[in-house]
Amino acid sequence: MSELEDVSHHIHDKISSIQRLLDLSVAEVPQNKMKKLGQELFALEKLVDEFEKCIGHQKDQLKQLKELDESFQKDMEDVQHLKDNIPAHMPRKKDSANGKESVVKQNEAADIQHPQPENVKKTNKNYVREMEFITLPEFESIPQYMKGRVSYDQLNAAVQSINIAVAAKYKIFRQSVKTLNNQSRKLYQRFKDQETKDTKGQYFVVEDDFREFTQMKLDKRFQGILNMLRHCQRLREQRGGGLTRYMLL
């Protein structure tokens, strides 16, 4: 803008000079001087035209820059919002074949020969089923009276703890008894005693597993979380033999 101001001052100086010449026009002015005056006026007219075009161009550029700055600021706000609201757990892609979320990992999917659910077999004997994390739409579908003060992150933290308990249990349960120490053998026997014909092929844990393998507090809030997980069809309860088995769906 300082350059435009310099040009403006220059034009004003030219105009002042010509005005003074015009004031002297009442006197006799040689023809060559009058011709030079006309040339100065013509040059000044062209300079003013160019100056006006330059100002218009600068105004257009300034308007575009302001619009760009507003768009950039909005993008920055959106990015900051995304950064501040990234969920602790991202939901996995659902399996379109059966409508349930896929729990088959990529390295296990390579071992599957037939896509039909009835023919799918887990070739990795160390595979342990996991409870899928709750998605935001699922969390929002839970009735408020059921959620209470439990947040989305707290609910998925409980899912993570359940998965830890399931993994720890079945890691022991699938080992040879001969390879286990005394403590693990006691746990193995407890796991075996808790099995029934209805739990065959299912993954489940009981409250003792939470106490053994996690830091979860089995209080009223814990029961509320289980209710929410049942609502989201992540588990179901099976009672019998004085136990409540939490079975993964």
Side-chain angles (χ1 to χ4, degrees):
M1 293 300 293
S2 60
E3 294 180 358
L4 291 177
E5 291 175 356
D6 293 340
V7 173
S8 177
H9 290 318
H10 175 69
I11 290 176
H12 282 297
D13 291 341
K14 280 281 188 180
I15 292 173
S16 298
S17 298
I18 293 172
Q19 186 65 47
R20 285 195 296 271
L21 288 173
L22 290 174
D23 291 339
L24 294 174
S25 63
V26 293
E28 294 184 359
V29 180
Q31 188 66 27
N32 63 334
K33 294 290 185 180
M34 290 296 295
K35 184 178 180 180
K36 184 177 180 181
L37 179 60
Q39 292 174 346
E40 288 283 345
L41 286 171
F42 181 73
L44 181 59
E45 184 179 6
K46 289 182 64 178
L47 185 61
V48 170
D49 289 341
E50 291 295 327
F51 181 59
E52 290 177 347
K53 290 180 181 179
C54 183
I55 291 176
H57 180 66
Q58 292 292 327
K59 286 182 177 179
D60 291 339
Q61 283 191 331
L62 181 61
K63 181 180 178 181
Q64 293 175 359
L65 288 173
K66 287 183 177 180
E67 293 175 351
L68 184 62
D69 180 65
E70 291 174 358
S71 176
F72 177 75
Q73 292 297 330
K74 186 177 184 303
D75 290 341
M76 288 295 295
E77 291 175 0
D78 292 341
V79 170
Q80 187 62 43
H81 176 75
L82 290 174
K83 181 180 178 182
D84 295 339
N85 294 275
I86 295 176
H89 305 287
M90 299 298 290
R92 298 182 183 179
K93 185 177 180 181
K94 290 190 175 182
D95 185 0
S96 59
N98 54 17
K100 295 181 179 179
E101 292 181 355
S102 174
V103 297
V104 181
K105 298 180 181 178
Q106 290 182 357
N107 61 339
E108 296 166 348
D111 296 327
I112 297 176
Q113 300 299 323
H114 302 284
Q116 292 81 2
E118 61 270 20
N119 293 331
V120 173
K121 295 182 179 180
K122 305 294 187 302
T123 59
N124 186 353
K125 62 183 180 181
N126 293 324
Y127 168 83
V128 175
R129 186 171 182 177
E130 292 183 346
M131 180 182 293
E132 296 297 327
F133 290 111
I134 303 299
T135 64
L136 280 172
E138 286 177 317
F139 181 75
E140 292 171 356
S141 72
I142 300 173
Q144 185 59 46
Y145 77 87
M146 190 179 294
K147 284 191 289 190
R149 296 184 179 180
V150 177
S151 68
Y152 174 74
D153 289 337
Q154 290 172 336
L155 181 57
N156 273 324
V159 171
Q160 179 67 27
S161 295
I162 292 173
N163 286 335
I164 290 173
V166 172
K169 170 186 174 178
Y170 285 94
K171 181 180 179 181
I172 295 174
F173 199 36
R174 288 179 174 175
Q175 293 186 46
S176 172
V177 179
K178 296 179 181 180
T179 64
L180 301 175
N181 57 32
N182 291 335
Q183 178 63 24
S184 295
R185 286 185 181 184
K186 292 179 181 179
L187 291 173
Y188 180 94
Q189 188 59 48
R190 174 164 68 81
F191 301 154
K192 188 174 181 180
D193 293 341
Q194 292 168 355
E195 292 283 331
T196 69
K197 63 179 182 178
D198 295 326
T199 62
K200 186 177 181 180
Q202 303 293 324
Y203 292 85
F204 71 90
V205 286
V206 299
E207 290 187 358
D208 285 341
D209 297 326
F210 296 130
R211 297 187 183 95
E212 182 72 31
F213 302 117
T214 73
Q215 301 296 320
M216 295 180 70
K217 295 181 179 180
L218 308 185
D219 51 13
K220 185 177 180 181
R221 181 172 173 272
F222 169 76
Q223 294 299 326
I225 288 175
L226 293 179
N227 288 335
M228 286 188 279
L229 294 177
R230 283 196 296 271
H231 175 83
C232 294
Q233 298 182 353
R234 289 300 192 275
L235 58 77
R236 65 182 177 87
E237 293 183 3
Q238 184 193 68
R239 301 176 185 272
L243 287 174
T244 300
R245 298 168 179 81
Y246 301 104
M247 306 183 69
L248 274 60
L249 297 177

